[in-house]
Amino acid sequence: QPAVAAYQGWVKLEQLRKDPNIVLYFSNILQKPVWDSEDFIIYFEGHWETWEFNKETQSVRLRTKQEKLAQLLGGVKDIDGVSA
């Protein structure tokens, strides 16, 4: 599970950038400094199927399984697309 899953609902980017689990991940696994806010925004917007990002509040939340399924099914044009 992503570190964001520990939060309920929306979490501000600044809070994420200071989260001990995220700081450790960047330090130990990526061996790089924690991304700046712009890098996180690009990541979350590029992975919109998993994340919902709010530019106004600079906050992000993990989409639910139901939301992900609804998005997948919403893009289906016919019954054959459901099984594809």
Side-chain angles (χ1 to χ4, degrees), residues 18-53:
K18 295 175 185 174
D19 182 283
N21 292 315
I22 292 175
V23 171
L24 279 174
Y25 176 79
F26 273 84
S27 175
N28 295 341
I29 304 299
L30 298 179
Q31 297 181 349
K32 295 184 178 195
V34 175
W35 291 340
D36 62 21
S37 293
E38 189 63 32
D39 288 331
F40 275 107
I41 291 168
I42 291 167
Y43 175 81
F44 291 132
E45 288 181 339
H47 295 88
W48 56 268
E49 67 282 350
T50 302
W51 306 100
E52 182 176 5
F53 179 71

Side-chain angles (χ1 to χ4, degrees), residues 39-81:
D39 288 331
F40 275 107
I41 291 168
I42 291 167
Y43 175 81
F44 291 132
E45 288 181 339
H47 295 88
W48 56 268
E49 67 282 350
T50 302
W51 306 100
E52 182 176 5
F53 179 71
N54 183 315
K55 277 190 176 184
E56 282 184 29
T57 62
Q58 296 288 290
S59 300
V60 66
R61 73 177 186 88
L62 192 59
R63 293 190 187 273
T64 65
K65 291 177 184 177
Q66 292 85 353
E67 285 177 287
K68 291 179 192 178
L69 180 60
Q71 286 179 343
L72 289 173
L73 292 176
V76 172
K77 301 200 182 330
D78 57 31
I79 194 68
D80 292 330

